């Protein structure tokens, strides 16, 4: 407690010093602004005889043999005074007293002359000393993590002894990723087991993946499992304005790590300092490149850093310098991807521990409804649901709050106060009904979970469709085309039933065109053949990709555009055919939306079952798919027998 109070008092010390300096400066300024006229003994007595003196003060200066006489004359200004130095004799002093008494002038005598010396010292010297002390303290307090200006080149890495409290139990999912880093833990616990076999443990492990997938958490868990010191720092903490500072911080960080080895160093967002060299626009970035050179040297240079393992994380592995990724530095790359349905359920269980959930909340069902969500997205989903429950004064979090939170995360809060005309509501209803019907009718269509025409964000409404089976690796040409058909069905429905087209389909066109172009340029699903003209890439890396030329001619570019247009046109024709043939179902769904504004999966199924014409088609489709699956199983059994 005493230490905390001392620290709290030290925080106020600069402000107290600043106040003293200001007061002292004002006094010092006043003393500088005063005008003092020097008079001799004859002038002083003459002024007294002429009744020009209004104020007089005599101060004996002990040890110097003189008197200091000060005062003011009648014609003096406010800050003007005189000063006379007279010999220290009784005759002179008595003469002054006599003349003053004859002219009724009161003489004040300073009986403690030392006070004037201290006052003069206080006014003239102390403010300068305080200003110097304050200036020094301000310089020493500059910088982060308690590092001052004089520690500018010191490492900003924070040290967590014994790895902290995080373990693999706190990391839900990531089964394969945990196995990849398990060797690091075994090496840190028992390095002799590896050196005896002649094995070299990876010096660096690079965690690659989208934001929010748990890269930092995994690194902390490795340190926690190994029970070793854990240094963690961001890549941006190395980069400074002055050349050489980042390299100095890298050296200092490794020097500290050697003293606590075996240990872990975690560098988050390493692309801030590890970008490819020689790619800066208008020249290189000397400070960043020197920092990278020092990092490369420390990881696998002439010096040995035994017992130090570096874990780094990035979302952009494509911009990293090749020298950073070679064996001997970051030997191993671990891809931390988005979780599947089972992992999402585990993550939800972790984040739901401190929340009061209603007994009807099924986390497994929520996990199946959130494909593509990262761990951070799932944590945010439950947090938004908890906030909504508090706002609604509920005692627990229900599925209603979770559904609303899911919509808020995806599309933003509902615009309940926005006034929507009946005509606009009708257009949006038929648009969303067109999407839903295509998803219902198409053999490989996605399941429709919710349709709403309540505006959210920039969208007037949306249809939530989720895949029947979660797939992330392989899609067939037919499935991709059905996705395009579903996207274009909204515009087709507007055109067929409202005899108008609106701007609401712009995002659908964007997504449909992207899929169609990928089919032509990446997947080889066109008459141009199995050739890849483009590839998926992240944001352009200025300086490297800015002047990059395309690897096909203008004639091929024209053919690509024609193929993309052909796919879009064929899919749009099919969308119009589906919309025209399912007139009754679209009208039922659209009218239900206009009446209720939002309909759920169960309500959609009830409306579909009420349509007897569609029910027959639906059963036929299910039987066809069942027969196809049975044929595939039988063929697989035959192939197995033949191999045996």
């Amino acid at each position: 407690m005493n230490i905390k109070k001392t620290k709290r008092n030290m925080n106020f010390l600069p402000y107290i010093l600043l106040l003293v300096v200001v007061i002292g400066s004002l006094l010092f300024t006043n003393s500088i602004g005063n005008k003092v006229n020097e008079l001799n003994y004859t002038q002083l007595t003459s002024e007294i005889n002429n009744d020009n003196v209004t104020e007089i003060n005599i101060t004996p200066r002990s040890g110097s043999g003189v008197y200091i006489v000060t005062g003011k004359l009648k014609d003096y200004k406010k800050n003007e005074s005189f000063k006379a130095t007279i010999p220290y004799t009784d005759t002179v002093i008595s003469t002054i007293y006599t003349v003053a008494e004859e002219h009724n002038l009161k003489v004040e005598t300073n009986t403690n002359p030392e006070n004037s010396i201290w006052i003069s010292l206080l006014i003239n010297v102390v403010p300068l000393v305080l200003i110097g002390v304050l200036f020094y303290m301000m310089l020493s307090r500059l910088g982060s993590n308690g590092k001052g200006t004089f520690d500018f080149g010191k490492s900003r890495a924070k040290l967590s002894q014994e790895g902290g409290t995080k373990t693999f139990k706190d990391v839900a999912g990531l089964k394969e990723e945990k196995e990849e880093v398990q060797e690091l833990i075994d090496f840190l616990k028992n390095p002799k087991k590896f050196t005896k076999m002649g094995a070299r443990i990876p010096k660096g492990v690079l965690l690659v993946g989208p934001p929010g997938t748990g890269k930092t958490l995994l690194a902390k868990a490795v340190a926690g499992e190994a029970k070793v010191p854990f240094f963690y720092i961001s890549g941006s903490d190395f980069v400074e304005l002055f050349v050489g500072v980042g390299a100095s911080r890298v050296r200092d960080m490794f020097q500290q790590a050697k003293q606590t080895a075996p240990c872990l160093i975690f560098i988050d967002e390493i692309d801030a300092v590890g970008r490819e060299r020689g790619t800066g626009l208008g020249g290189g970035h000397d400070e960043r490149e020197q920092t990278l050179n020092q990092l490369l040297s420390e990881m696998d240079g002439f010096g040995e850093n035994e017992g130090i393992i570096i874990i780094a994380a990035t979302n952009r592995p494509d911009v990293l310098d090749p020298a950073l990724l070679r064996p001997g530095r970051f030997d191993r790359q671990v891809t931390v991807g988005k979780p599947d349905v089972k992992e999402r359920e585990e993550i939800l269980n972790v984040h739901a521990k401190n929340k009061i959930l209603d007994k009807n909340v099924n986390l497994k069902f929520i996990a199946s409804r959130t494909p593509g969500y990262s761990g951070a997205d799932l944590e945010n989903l439950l947090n938004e649901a908890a906030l909504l429950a508090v706002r609604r004064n509920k005692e627990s979090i229900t599925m209603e709050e979770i559904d609303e939170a899911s919509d808020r995360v995806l599309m933003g809060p509902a615009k309940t106060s926005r006034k929507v005309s009946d005509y606009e509501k009708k257009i949006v209803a038929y648009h969303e009904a067109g999407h839903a019907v295509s998803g219902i009718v198409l053999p490989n269509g996605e399941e429709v979970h919710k349709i709403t025409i309540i505006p959210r964000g920039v969208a007037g409404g949306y249809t939530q469709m989720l895949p029947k089976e979660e797939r992330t690796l392989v899609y067939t040409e037919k499935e991709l085309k059905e996705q395009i058909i579903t996207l274009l069905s909204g515009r087709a429905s507007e055109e067929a039933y409202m005899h108008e087209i609106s701007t609401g389909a712009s995002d659908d066109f964007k997504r449909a065109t992207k899929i169609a172009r990928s089919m032509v340029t990446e997947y080889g699903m066109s008459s141009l053949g199995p050739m890849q003209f483009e590839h998926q890439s992240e944001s352009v890396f200025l300086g490297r990709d800015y002047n990059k030329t395309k690897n096909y001619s203008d004639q091929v570019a024209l053919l690509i555009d024609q193929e993309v247009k052909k796919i879009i046109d064929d899919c749009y024709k099919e969308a119009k055919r589906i919309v025209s043939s399912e007139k009754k179902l679209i009208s039922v769904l659209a009218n239900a939306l206009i009446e209720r504004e939002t309909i759920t999966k169960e309500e959609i199924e009830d409306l579909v079952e009420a349509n007897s014409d569609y029910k027959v088609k639906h059963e036929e489709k299910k039987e066809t798919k069942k027969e196809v699956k049975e044929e595939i199983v039988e063929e697989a059994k035959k192939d197995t027998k033949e191999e045996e």
Side-chain angles (χ1 to χ4, degrees), residues 153-400:
K154 297 295 184 181
S155 171
R156 299 297 194 253
K158 298 178 182 178
L159 174 62
S160 175
Q161 292 290 347
E162 299 299 326
T165 58
K166 298 294 182 182
T167 63
F168 281 166
K169 292 181 181 179
D170 301 308
V171 183
L174 303 181
K175 181 179 179 181
E176 292 77 10
E177 291 80 356
K178 291 177 185 176
E179 293 175 355
E180 285 291 321
V181 297
Q182 183 64 42
E183 290 179 357
L184 305 181
I185 300 171
D186 296 339
F187 173 77
L188 292 169
K189 287 182 176 179
N190 187 13
K192 293 182 179 179
K193 182 174 67 173
F194 292 85
T195 55
K196 181 180 178 180
M197 191 63 64
R200 179 183 62 82
I201 202 68
K203 291 185 178 181
V205 175
L206 184 65
L207 303 179
V208 179
T213 51
K215 300 183 291 297
T216 304
L217 182 61
L218 182 61
K220 289 182 179 179
V222 171
E225 290 284 341
K227 300 296 181 184
V228 297
F230 178 63
F231 291 89
Y232 56 99
I233 189 172
S234 174
S236 60
D237 288 333
F238 292 113
V239 183
E240 287 288 350
L241 175 65
F242 306 106
V243 176
V245 174
S248 175
R249 291 178 179 176
V250 171
R251 286 192 297 269
D252 186 65
M253 181 181 68
F254 276 89
Q255 185 177 359
Q256 294 180 30
K258 289 176 185 177
Q259 296 172 359
T260 58
C263 66
L264 276 174
I265 297 176
F266 176 63
I267 306 176
D268 200 9
E269 305 298 343
I270 195 174
D271 52 278
V273 70
R275 292 198 172 203
E276 189 174 342
R277 291 168 289 183
T279 53
L281 289 177
H285 191 304
D286 292 337
E287 159 62 3
R288 182 179 56 77
E289 292 188 3
Q290 282 199 21
T291 307
L292 175 59
N293 291 337
Q294 185 63 44
L295 181 61
L296 296 175
S297 176
E298 292 288 348
M299 289 188 69
D300 189 26
F302 287 105
E304 292 292 332
N305 291 317
E306 295 295 337
I308 300 175
I309 295 177
I310 301 177
I311 301 178
T314 181
N315 308 324
R316 296 290 308 276
D318 56 310
V319 305
L320 295 180
D321 193 277
L324 200 61
L325 303 178
R326 75 159 176 82
R329 288 176 180 142
F330 284 104
D331 306 77
R332 184 176 297 175
Q333 289 191 30
V334 178
T335 301
V336 184
K338 292 187 177 181
D340 58 19
V341 61
K342 185 178 180 181
E343 291 173 331
R344 290 197 298 273
E345 184 180 356
E346 295 176 4
I347 294 171
L348 287 169
N349 280 313
V350 170
H351 293 304
K353 286 181 180 178
N354 62 340
K355 293 178 175 59
I356 304 175
L357 298 179
D358 188 75
K359 61 181 180 179
N360 295 324
V361 173
N362 188 343
L363 296 180
K364 185 175 182 179
F365 175 68
I366 298 171
S368 65
R369 288 185 51 187
T370 51
Y373 277 53
S374 65
D377 293 331
L378 295 172
E379 190 275 335
N380 187 39
L381 173 67
L382 291 182
N383 185 63
E384 286 287 342
L387 293 174
L388 286 170
V390 173
R391 191 181 303 171
R392 296 172 179 178
N393 297 320
K394 290 191 174 182
E395 296 181 354
S396 61
I397 303 171
T398 65
M399 284 300 298
E400 183 180 353

Side-chain angles (χ1 to χ4, degrees), residues 425-441 448 450-453 461-465 485-494 497-498 508 575 578-580 582-594 597 599 604 607-608:
K425 185 183 291 187
K426 190 174 182 181
I427 289 181
V428 176
Y430 274 99
H431 179 100
E432 300 302 334
H435 287 311
V437 167
S438 290
I440 294 170
V441 171
V448 183
K450 180 192 287 187
I451 315 174
T452 179
I453 58 173
Y462 77 99
T463 302
Q464 185 181 24
M465 304 176 70
I485 293 170
T486 303
L487 290 169
L488 298 178
S489 295
R491 166 58 67 86
S493 180
E494 290 179 19
Y497 299 104
M498 297 300 298
D508 299 332
I578 293 172
V579 166
S580 300
E582 299 294 338
K583 182 177 181 181
K584 182 178 179 181
L585 184 57
I586 287 180
S587 298
V588 169
L589 293 175
N591 291 330
L593 282 171
I594 294 171
E597 292 190 337
I599 52 177
I604 295 170
L607 293 172
V608 170

Side-chain angles (χ1 to χ4, degrees), residues 388 392 399-408 414 456:
L388 286 170
R392 296 172 179 178
M399 284 300 298
E400 183 180 353
E401 281 74 45
I402 293 177
D403 286 339
E404 175 65 19
S406 177
D407 294 339
R408 290 172 69 91
R456 288 181 180 272

